[in-house]
Amino acid sequence: QVQLVESGGGLVQAGGSLRLSCVASGGTFSSNAMAWFRQAPGKEREFVAGISRTSGRTYYVDSVKGRFTISRDNAKSTMYLQMNSLKPEDTAVYYCAARSSDYEIPIRAVPAYGYWGQGTQVTVSL
């Protein structure tokens, strides 16, 4: 059973940066395609960025391209999300998610992920 724990959220001014971390345990981290999702109040949970299981190929929603960078360190069982040039519309709870080990790439559908962290709040002020 994979367990995921996020950290690194907080309050930042517009234009600032944050780095989120997601530490995995209970499984073989390198076997899972991983992703970051976010959910703002009153909105559905949305895909932000994903990284494939073995090739390291990355995927982003258009609204964060050029500002966010997803990466993973399999030796540390950790995934990161570097967020630069933050905007107030980036305010949300950010969740780390993992697919089962049968799948190579991350996809945007929430039901495709069997493992979720508890979330970390990111608030961007004007």
Side-chain angles (χ1 to χ4, degrees):
Q1 186 78 359
V2 175
Q3 295 165 339
L4 304 172
V5 178
E6 305 98 332
S7 63
L11 174 63
V12 64
Q13 287 189 326
S17 298
L18 285 173
R19 187 174 84 154
L20 306 183
S21 299
C22 170
V23 178
S25 62
T28 304
F29 181 72
S30 60
S31 298
N32 301 99
M34 303 290 296
W36 288 98
F37 285 76
R38 65 186 178 187
Q39 188 166 18
K43 295 188 176 181
E44 294 186 350
R45 192 169 298 190
E46 68 167 349
F47 175 90
V48 176
I51 187 164
S52 64
R53 183 179 60 165
T54 58
S55 71
R57 184 175 177 178
T58 57
Y59 306 79
Y60 298 93
V61 68
D62 286 348
S63 60
V64 308
K65 284 180 180 177
R67 300 189 298 123
F68 290 11
T69 302
I70 188 172
S71 61
R72 65 191 296 164
D73 184 338
N74 289 341
K76 296 182 178 180
S77 298
T78 303
M79 177 177 68
Y80 304 98
L81 185 67
Q82 177 66 43
M83 305 186 295
N84 298 329
S85 302
L86 282 161
K87 304 176 180 180
E89 51 263 43
D90 295 318
T91 295
V93 177
Y94 283 71
Y95 296 90
C96 168
R99 300 196 73 186
S100 77
S101 58
D102 296 335
Y103 302 99
E104 169 64 23
I105 63 173
I107 61 174
R108 298 174 183 236
V110 169
Y113 294 80
Y115 307 102
W116 293 86
Q118 82 289 349
T120 185
Q121 176 70 47
V122 172
T123 303
V124 185
S125 64
L126 287 170

